[in-house]
């Protein structure tokens, strides 16, 4: 159809940066750029910045047929609502209708991690998989639970893997619980736990490398605890959902085999009859969210205005 | 369509009994009966018994338009395969094609727990829910994970909630792991753990009642451990999937408020930002599996032969 051959606009709105793309029908990026997110200026300023960014990208593209915009937090794709996006200061905002009215094109509004999972399943490391988990590990730890080829949303609440408790009575988490996965295995947690043992502020890649060499007991211990916590959570997902593949992304995945090799071994030891998922590194890096937003925009066009996904 | 107004056949094949129904287009049971499962005679005998039971029910109904047959274990609905059904001695058997050829009508072949979950969502305690968990607790503990109104299968591996580890290093489980939920919160586990403390073989309802009265420290402790393990697993599901409702079934649910009241309180204490699911008792009892099989048969008809679900 003619309409779906026109380019679409995709924006991944993060807590510090917005990544924007204009994507053609073949998935090629015709234009891409980033811009700061004016988080400190309040939630309305973020809305205005997204609208201005979208208008500029649209003008450069000479018009777009649809837009996909994804944000962090609890996002209900079906109603197009930002239920709770702490990084943007948004709460219970009907962003799809607000942005659609401002932009004047059909809009898909979704969550960044689920968009990234959609992109990894369609275009990236999990291409062709039907049941998959996409787990970006960075400042936080999220997951896209992909079942039958689609990320599931749970009205926005699905995939909060970073808040599975792995160490009952452990460190306090920002969510109010104790011992969440994020308190053990996120990048800041690894750095903090290493500093607590050694008194040294050390970049995570150095901790990972030292753990790999085995010559630094503190690094070995902290890294093993992170790996073990992740393996436990992946075993939980394997038991509950039976994914074929787990795609690990985010900053921690940049450690490559230093993370994935022990993670595969630890996961293997925690499963019996369950389907054993392949554990692989993400392929799309920090472009996954915007690529997923582009896919969502394209689907929105194909499905017509009645569906946001 | 005329074809879908004809009755369908539904059989829930358990390890000891088969439950059969003939169901009209309005979901009314026109005829129902049970028959033993000849498990001791081997896997082929079970197949023959299912075929004979189906033939008898079909004859009494004067013909059926389709059949739904559900069994325990790891079942891949999409390929119609019994991947591993230990209770029936079946392994990697293409039961849908085998039974469809023998019965001569379109057949939906599925897993008993997922069928039960479908029935509870369409007809029972979770009626109208979109994202739900159905958890029958009896000799084992299974789950149907219902997302967007449909049980998810994970090629047959989804929903093995009974084998989430709740007590690392705990009692050996039949699956080969240690400390699985089933070793703490299944009906036999509750009885066994109570007997280990007291030396007394005691029916689970009596243990539950004593725990409720608070006058038997062993009962209080064993029941609290079971409740806590279940609450932990439900919190995991809430965090990962965001269900609106958890439907508790099976023998343990017959304890009613003695189970559900402390379970709700324990779950509440384990959640922060997550959607808090309602925790309710199943409505359909041991008819859930057969009712679900009937729904699947009806859907098989409506979708045509191309889809088994």
């Amino acid at each position: 159809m003619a309409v779906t051959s026109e380019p679409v606009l995709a924006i991944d709105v993060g807590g510090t940066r917005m990544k924007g793309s204009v994507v053609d029908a073949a998935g090629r990026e015709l234009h891409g750029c980033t811009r700061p997110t004016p988080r400190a200026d309040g939630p309305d300023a973020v809305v205005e910045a997204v609208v201005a960014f979208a208008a500029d990208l649209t003008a450069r593209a000479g018009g777009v047929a649809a837009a996909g915009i994804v944000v962090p937090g609890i996002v209900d794709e079906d109603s197009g609502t930002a239920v709770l996006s702490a990084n943007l200061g948004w709460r219970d905002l009907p962003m799809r209708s607000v942005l659609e009215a401002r932009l004047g094109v059909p809009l898909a509004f979704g969550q960044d991690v689920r968009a990234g999972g959609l992109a990894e399943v369609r275009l990236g490391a999990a291409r062709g998989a039907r049941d998959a988990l996409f787990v970006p590990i960075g400042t936080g730890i999220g997951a896209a639970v992909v079942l039958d080829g689609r990320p599931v949303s749970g009205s926005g609440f699905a995939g909060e893997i970073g808040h599975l408790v792995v160490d009952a009575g452990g460190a306090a988490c920002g969510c109010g619980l104790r011992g969440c996965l994020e308190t053990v295995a996120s990048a800041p947690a690894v750095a903090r736990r290493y500093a607590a043992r050694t008194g040294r502020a050390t970049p995570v890649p150095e901790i990972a490398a030292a753990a790999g060499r085995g010559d630094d007991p503190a690094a070995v211990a902290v890294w093993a605890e992170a790996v073990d916590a992740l393996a436990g959570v992946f075993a939980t997902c394997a038991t509950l959902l039976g994914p074929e593949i787990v795609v690990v992304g985010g900053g921690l995945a940049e450690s490559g085999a230093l993370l994935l090799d022990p993670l595969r071994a630890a996961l293997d030891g925690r499963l019996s009859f369950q389907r054993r998922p392949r554990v692989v590194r993400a392929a799309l890096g920090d472009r996954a969210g915007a690529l997923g937003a582009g896919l969502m925009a394209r689907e929105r066009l194909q499905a017509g205005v009645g569906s946001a996904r």
Side-chain angles (χ1 to χ4, degrees), chain A residues 11-279:
Chain A
I11 302 180
D12 179 0
V13 184
T16 54
R17 281 193 316 155
M18 301 184 285
K19 283 167 245 167
S21 288
V22 176
V23 186
D24 74 9
R28 283 183 300 252
E29 186 178 74
L30 302 177
H31 179 74
C33 58
T34 66
R35 198 174 277 193
T37 305
R39 170 70 185 92
D41 300 337
D44 292 342
V46 175
V47 174
E48 293 307 318
V50 171
V51 171
F53 191 29
D56 287 358
L57 286 162
T58 300
R60 287 203 217 187
V64 296
I69 296 181
V70 301
V71 306
I74 297 175
V75 177
D76 184 354
E77 281 86 354
D78 289 309
S79 64
T81 306
V83 177
L84 179 58
S85 188
N87 285 344
L88 307 181
W90 292 357
R91 183 169 201 126
D92 289 326
L93 293 181
M95 289 311 301
R96 186 174 67 222
S97 51
V98 167
L99 292 170
E100 202 161 49
R102 297 288 298 274
L103 303 183
V105 293
L107 180 83
F109 182 74
Q111 191 222 28
D112 54 357
V113 177
R114 281 192 286 279
L118 181 67
E120 288 287 352
V121 167
R122 296 281 176 82
L123 311 169
R127 200 162 171 162
R130 194 171 148 167
D131 301 313
L133 209 63
F134 167 57
V135 184
I137 309 174
T139 309
I141 305 178
V145 176
V146 177
L147 298 172
D148 291 334
R150 296 215 62 83
V152 300
S153 172
S155 297
F157 289 91
E160 293 290 346
I161 199 174
H163 300 284
L164 291 177
V165 174
V166 297
D167 179 21
C173 179
C175 81
L177 299 174
R178 303 192 79 87
C180 293
L181 179 63
E182 282 190 5
T183 69
V184 178
S186 67
V190 168
R192 189 179 59 244
R193 289 161 70 90
Y194 183 79
R197 285 177 180 250
T198 63
R200 294 196 304 273
T202 308
V204 170
E206 287 182 27
I207 300 170
R213 287 191 309 270
D215 58 5
D216 176 345
V220 169
V222 164
W223 197 247
E225 288 159 7
V227 163
D228 202 54
L230 288 166
V233 163
F234 290 177
T236 293
C237 294
T239 303
L240 207 50
L241 300 166
E244 309 154 63
I245 187 169
V246 177
V247 177
V248 181
L252 221 66
E254 288 169 22
S255 297
L258 290 171
L259 177 67
L260 296 184
D261 286 349
L263 191 47
R264 291 181 187 116
L267 176 59
D268 200 56
R270 285 172 173 268
L271 298 176
S272 57
F273 65 92
Q274 294 91 338
R275 174 149 71 165
R276 281 162 204 260
R278 288 188 295 132
V279 178

Side-chain angles (χ1 to χ4, degrees), chain A residues 15 113 153 169 229 266 286-287 297 307:
Chain A
V113 177
S153 172
D286 66 0
R287 297 163 55 237
S307 163

